[in-house]
Amino acid sequence: MREGRPWIYQGVLRTESYRGLPDLLKCEKGASKLGGFTYVPVDMKHHKSVTTKDRYQLLGYNVLLEPVLGALPIRGGIWLNTGEIEYMDLQRYHPKFESLLAEMDRIRQGTLKTTGRRCG
C-alpha cells in the first residue's frame, strides 16, 4: 500500500478484534498516512444490484482500513456482474454500523445475551 499500487488483490486487513480480506483495494487521489493517495475497498459480486450485506461488508473493510490510512475511506464499491462498479457513500451508513459493532462487542463480552432461532 505504501507504494501506491493502483489495485491490490485480496490485501489482508486486520486489527486486534477483526480481520478481513477485500477482493480489491483501489488507489485513489486523496490524503492519508500513506501520502497523497488513499485506498477504497471494492468487492466483486455475482449479482446485479448492491445488497445490505454488501454495504456491511464494505463498512467492515472501512473499519480495518482506518488505522492504515489514518481516516475512514469515504466510499467503497461493489463490482456487479454487469461489469459496473457501483460506488456508495459509506459515511452515510457508518453510524448504524458502529452500533452493530458495539452490540457484537457486548455479545463477545457476555453482557448481551442472544436468543437462538431455528431457521430453514
Side-chain angles (χ1 to χ4, degrees):
M1 287 179 84
R2 285 187 208 112
E3 296 174 10
R5 303 278 180 182
W7 292 92
I8 297 174
Y9 175 69
Q10 293 191 331
V12 177
L13 302 173
R14 62 177 233 189
T15 64
E16 189 175 312
S17 302
Y18 306 108
R19 285 160 184 62
L21 191 68
D23 290 332
L24 298 164
L25 295 171
K26 181 182 179 198
C27 187
E28 295 187 343
K29 290 182 182 181
S32 75
K33 289 187 343 186
L34 302 173
F37 58 91
T38 189
Y39 282 91
V40 298
V42 176
D43 228 51
M44 294 186 266
K45 300 296 177 187
H46 294 286
H47 41 264
K48 294 182 183 194
S49 60
V50 176
T51 66
T52 299
K53 182 181 172 185
D54 298 338
R55 281 189 205 96
Y56 278 122
Q57 190 172 2
L58 290 176
L59 286 159
Y61 297 145
N62 255 20
V63 169
L64 294 168
L65 281 166
E66 183 179 22
V68 177
L69 301 175
L72 287 167
I74 294 171
R75 66 188 199 135
I78 297 293
W79 197 324
L80 300 166
N81 72 355
T82 61
E84 300 293 319
I85 300 175
E86 186 173 322
Y87 288 98
M88 66 205 73
D89 176 3
L90 294 177
Q91 290 183 332
R92 172 181 168 197
Y93 302 100
H94 194 73
K96 188 173 180 181
F97 186 69
E98 282 293 321
S99 296
L100 175 64
L101 289 179
E103 231 175 83
M104 289 169 56
D105 284 338
R106 288 180 53 213
I107 292 168
R108 188 176 325 144
Q109 294 163 4
T111 59
L112 179 64
K113 300 294 179 197
T114 61
T115 304
R117 290 191 183 193
R118 186 179 180 141
C119 55

